[in-house]
Amino acid sequence: MEELTLIARARSHADAIALRSGPDKRSYNELLERSAFLAAALLVDADDLSEARVAFLLPAGFDYITVQWAIWRAGGVVVPLSLSATEPELEYTLSDSQSHWVVASRALADKVETLCQRLDLRLLIVDDIQSARQQPRLPTVATRRRAMILYTSGTTSKPKGVVTTHANIQSQIESLIEAWDWQATDRIPLFLPLHHIHGIINVMSCALWSGAVIEPFPHFHVDAILDRVAERAYTVFMAVPTIYVKLIQALESLPEADRAGKIAGFTGMRLMVSGSAALPASVHKQWTALTGQRLLERYGMTEIGMALSNPYNGERRPGTVGQPLPGVEIRLKSEHGEVVTSDGEPGEIQVRGAGVFGEYWNRPEVTADSFEEGWFRTGDMAVLEDGYFRIMGRQSVDIIKSGGYKLSALEIEATLLEHPAIRECAVVGVPDDTWGEAVAVAAVLRDDAELSLESLRSWCRDRLSTYKIPKQLVVVVDLPRNAMGKVTKPAARELF
Ligand code: MLC
Ligand code: AMP
């Protein structure tokens, strides 16, 4: 039987440790065995899930990986859910993806139980599934089949499901393995959220593909991670710029005696990567001054995997994202619609390659609009300078990048407009030293209404993931508008 390459590769690392958490260690063999039995549990009344969507709500760790593999081995499509999503957000994801099942841990089942009843979805509690002795029969899954739907916010009010096939995922992983020289001897901490590509592909899947060791954390727990860094637990480290800002703050606040071992742990790693948002050149330089490490900055997107990267061997230039990764083709398209041919001329980054996704789930028109002559239009602007690409910003003012999360101003506005005190509002991203951009809202209130930032934030808690909740509020009499009456976001940003 032909198997998915990820599974076949895991067999070649069978006895090696895949996961380590304190004294608890799990081998690749355990991942293989457990995922086969979970797959059988999903195949109760079918031989093949035939691309049925299976959503799951699990923290990073053994259950997450084995459930993901089980769904793939049973022929299904994985829909990882955000651990910080509110009920309305979960309901949207489950409905939009037309998920058939939800798999959750016992500890998290409360978050989805009533939703599953309301939406008539099967809920599987992973802790309740006993492994049988007999090897289950599993279907053959062709690599052209759909494998994953990740929800990404953007220029539409509601998040869109980005569909990737097994072949797309394989190509995204292989590109990074080659470029960054992943080895079975690598050890990496995993603290990024696992409903986004950075944690799923760059950290988790690349490590598992290589036979490396992953050390999962339930979230970015700075003290616990620094303790393990001091113990030289890791060879590779991947994070968003906000995390490097927080690490610098944490290291600088430590007494000299505690700091040295932690810094030495960073200095000794073979690779430290930053991405998902612009890494300020100042942070890059501060990190080098503190640890001696030259951060490798790269650029990617849910729809395409990673596209541009500073070199593993060679000059890593602060403020740039390097060159195309293996298997990725890049062109810049000028605002006049011409392919840019000269250095220093800005253009939209367009991407082609086997890693590029095929479709937004159930959105054929949006999908068609996002490709031009077979190239994916990223909406990000860049220039080529002396052989290195530099990101200049985004075409859309409605996309905000906060701590590596891509947020839609339109989605947040739609929610805030349900607030009884708000008549109109404009959500913008304002520059922020820690988050890169912070969510801010300018609001026009209804007659006689009053609104404080604190009360608005507490009203948002049941409706928006905490990282989407505005950190700043200004109350205005009118929103700034252009001659056509349209709100001008750059002018709204000036209000803060
Ligand atoms: C947390 N908070 C945020 C936030 N994260 N606010 C704005 N933006 C964020 N990203 C808020 C919380 O709501 C909370 O507010 C307070 O900060 C403390 O929360 P926390 O959970 O303790 O924070 P922390 O654990 O330090 O989280 C910061 C972080 C996290 C940077 C570790 O945001 C994170 O994991 N970001 C990575 C996201 C990611 O993986 N993106 C990749 C997308 S894929 P309050 O009010 O409750 O105190 C992609 C493609 C590519 O972009 O190229 O990789
Ligand atoms: P997401 O949609 O969450 O996958 O986020 C992808 C977006 O993150 C890209 O379109 C860019 O706007 C941004 N991004 C990723 N890496 C970088 C980087 N190194 N520098 C600047 N922006 C980045």
Side-chain angles (χ1 to χ4, degrees):
M1 185 185 70
E2 220 181 293
E3 282 190 308
L4 291 168
T5 314
L6 180 71
I7 302 299
R9 289 188 60 91
R11 288 196 198 288
S12 67
H13 303 294
D15 296 322
I17 300 299
L19 276 171
R20 186 208 139 119
S21 189
D24 186 26
K25 296 190 179 102
R26 302 296 195 132
S27 68
Y28 280 85
N29 236 341
E30 287 175 87
L31 293 180
L32 287 165
E33 277 179 21
R34 180 68 176 156
S35 61
F37 288 114
L38 293 174
L42 291 167
L43 290 169
V44 266
D45 45 25
D47 297 332
D48 185 330
L49 288 180
S50 304
E51 298 189 5
R53 273 75 56 213
V54 182
F56 56 93
L57 191 67
L58 296 164
F62 185 69
D63 286 343
Y64 184 106
I65 297 168
T66 52
V67 167
Q68 185 202 53
W69 287 14
I71 299 165
W72 282 342
R73 297 178 81 183
V77 173
V78 301
V79 184
L81 299 171
S82 159
L83 298 180
S84 43
T86 60
E87 190 170 302
E89 290 169 332
L90 290 171
E91 177 162 2
Y92 171 77
T93 307
L94 293 173
S95 310
D96 188 78
S97 60
Q98 300 161 298
S99 286
H100 297 237
W101 296 75
V102 180
V103 184
S105 60
R106 163 105 11 251
L108 293 172
D110 277 359
K111 284 192 86 160
V112 280
E113 210 150 12
T114 42
L115 260 180
C116 287
Q117 282 162 7
R118 192 158 78 237
L119 301 174
D120 199 19
L121 306 179
R122 284 173 162 182
L123 176 62
L124 197 70
I125 308 292
V126 73
D127 319 54
D128 293 348
I129 303 171
Q130 301 297 324
S131 291
R133 266 172 197 280
Q134 220 185 340
Q135 273 298 330
R137 273 175 64 86
L138 300 175
T140 300
V141 179
T143 57
R144 64 173 184 283
R145 279 171 52 167
R146 294 180 180 92
M148 177 155 75
I149 304 185
L150 294 182
Y151 276 80
T152 184
S153 296
T155 47
T156 47
S157 171
K158 286 292 190 187
K160 303 181 289 257
V162 174
V163 183
T164 41
T165 61
H166 291 283
N168 293 147
I169 292 173
Q170 178 163 342
S171 166
Q172 293 177 5
I173 297 170
E174 284 176 336
S175 174
L176 296 185
I177 302 272
E178 181 186 336
W180 299 343
D181 198 26
W182 272 96
Q183 303 292 335
T185 47
D186 280 322
R187 303 180 304 274
I188 189 166
L190 171 57
F191 42 72
L192 292 171
L194 286 182
H195 62 292
H196 283 308
I197 193 167
H198 193 161
I200 299 173
I201 299 291
N202 299 24
V203 181
M204 193 179 81
S205 305
C206 282
L208 295 173
W209 195 271
S210 314
V213 182
I214 297 172
E215 195 165 304
F217 291 85
H219 66 105
F220 177 65
H221 193 314
V222 65
D223 294 336
I225 293 164
L226 283 177
D227 285 347
R228 292 289 293 147
V229 167
E231 290 166 13
R232 308 285 178 120
Y234 314 121
T235 60
V236 181
F237 195 93
M238 294 188 189
V240 299
T242 297
I243 288 181
Y244 289 108
V245 172
K246 288 183 175 235
L247 285 172
I248 291 170
Q249 286 165 356
L251 288 169
E252 286 183 342
S253 68
L254 287 173
E256 192 75 36
D258 288 354
R259 201 189 300 169
K262 295 176 167 103
I263 286 179
F266 284 116
T267 310
M269 289 184 203
R270 75 163 183 88
L271 173 67
M272 298 193 72
V273 181
S274 174
S276 299
L279 177 72
S282 57
V283 177
H284 194 295
K285 287 174 186 158
Q286 253 179 307
W287 190 255
T288 304
L290 197 59
T291 66
Q293 277 281 350
R294 293 167 310 133
L295 292 177
L296 181 152
E297 185 173 6
R298 61 36 174 204
Y299 159 89
M301 194 174 181
T302 307
E303 287 87 335
I304 57 175
M306 298 304 111
L308 292 160
S309 167
N310 271 279
Y312 180 64
N313 294 308
E315 187 198 353
R316 299 182 191 160
R317 208 175 281 174
T320 78
V321 290
Q323 297 91 26
L325 279 157
V328 180
E329 285 180 89
I330 295 283
R331 71 178 189 185
L332 298 182
K333 208 67 192 289
S334 78
E335 56 178 351
H336 312 295
E338 282 145 19
V339 176
V340 169
T341 50
S342 47
D343 266 27
E345 193 189 337
E348 182 194 18
I349 303 175
Q350 299 195 344
V351 184
R352 205 162 64 170
V356 176
F357 83 130
E359 59 182 328
Y360 292 111
W361 181 247
N362 280 337
R363 283 177 169 78
E365 282 160 21
V366 185
T367 304
D369 273 359
S370 59
F371 284 89
E372 184 181 330
E373 299 151 356
W375 294 77
F376 174 68
R377 302 164 46 197
T378 62
D380 290 310
M381 300 295 292
V383 284
L384 185 60
E385 287 173 358
D386 197 15
Y388 284 69
F389 283 90
R390 182 187 295 278
I391 309 288
M392 309 287 286
R394 286 180 294 271
Q395 290 174 333
S396 168
V397 287
D398 288 319
I399 293 175
I400 300 167
K401 264 272 163 168
S402 170
Y405 283 113
K406 182 152 120 180
L407 312 177
S408 163
L410 304 176
E411 182 190 354
I412 300 170
E413 284 164 7
T415 301
L416 297 183
L417 284 173
E418 290 169 19
H419 190 286
I422 297 181
R423 186 198 303 282
E424 290 177 316
C425 66
V427 167
V428 291
V430 295
D432 186 282
D433 287 345
T434 299
W435 303 109
E437 288 180 294
V439 176
V441 57
V444 178
L445 302 187
R446 295 190 184 280
D447 297 340
D448 302 329
E450 287 180 13
L451 186 63
S452 66
L453 178 63
E454 201 187 354
S455 74
L456 178 65
R457 284 176 58 82
S458 93
W459 179 86
C460 286
R461 293 226 170 248
D462 296 334
R463 296 168 173 87
L464 292 171
S465 297
T466 53
Y467 51 80
K468 299 180 186 170
I469 298 176
K471 294 194 192 300
Q472 294 186 46
L473 163 73
V474 286
V475 173
V476 290
V477 178
D478 286 308
L479 294 175
R481 291 177 191 277
N482 63 18
M484 316 284 285
K486 195 172 175 308
V487 173
T488 46
K489 290 280 173 100
R493 208 180 280 139
E494 295 302 315
L495 295 167
F496 294 90

